[in-house]
Amino acid sequence: QVQLVESGGGLVQAGGSLRLSCSASGRTFSAYTMNWFRQAPGKEREFVAGITWIGGSTRYADSVKDRFTISRDNVKNTLYLQMNSLKPEDTAVYYCAAQLTGTLSFPYWGQGTQVTVSS
């Protein structure tokens, strides 16, 4: 059974930092791109950042570029999102998602972790 379990969310003041983790289990992810998405209240889910499991190629949404860093530990099967210089508009539920690389298929999602940034 494939599981993606996020952790690390919480309440932080604007300008602060948080690191999210996503522990992946149940299969090998070498053919997958691991992503972070977020969904704020009343808004659609949006892409935040992605990284290929093999090679580590990264991609970011313009809104988080130069503030957020995505990384993965292939030994621990864990995905990370280091978030710096947080803004109130970063407040959302953050989801980890595994995408079959080169496709629009996202077969695996985590349950989400809440990030709240106070002004």
Side-chain angles (χ1 to χ4, degrees), residues 79-113:
L79 177 71
Y80 302 100
L81 186 68
Q82 178 66 44
M83 304 186 296
N84 299 328
S85 302
L86 282 161
K87 305 175 181 180
E89 51 263 43
D90 294 317
T91 295
V93 178
Y94 283 71
Y95 298 90
C96 170
Q99 173 191 13
L100 194 59
T101 301
T103 76
L104 294 178
S105 174
F106 293 80
Y108 308 117
W109 289 80
Q111 82 290 347
T113 186

Side-chain angles (χ1 to χ4, degrees), residues 2-6 22-37 45 47 49-53 59 70 72 77-79 94-112:
V2 175
Q3 280 194 310
L4 301 179
V5 180
E6 301 97 335
C22 172
S23 177
S25 62
R27 67 162 300 133
T28 58
F29 290 90
S30 56
Y32 288 80
T33 297
M34 304 301 291
N35 300 278
W36 288 99
F37 283 78
R45 190 171 297 186
F47 169 79
I51 185 168
T52 57
W53 200 259
R59 188 168 67 95
I70 189 171
R72 84 272 185 257
N77 255 22
T78 301
L79 177 71
Y94 283 71
Y95 298 90
C96 170
Q99 173 191 13
L100 194 59
T101 301
T103 76
L104 294 178
S105 174
F106 293 80
Y108 308 117
W109 289 80
Q111 82 290 347

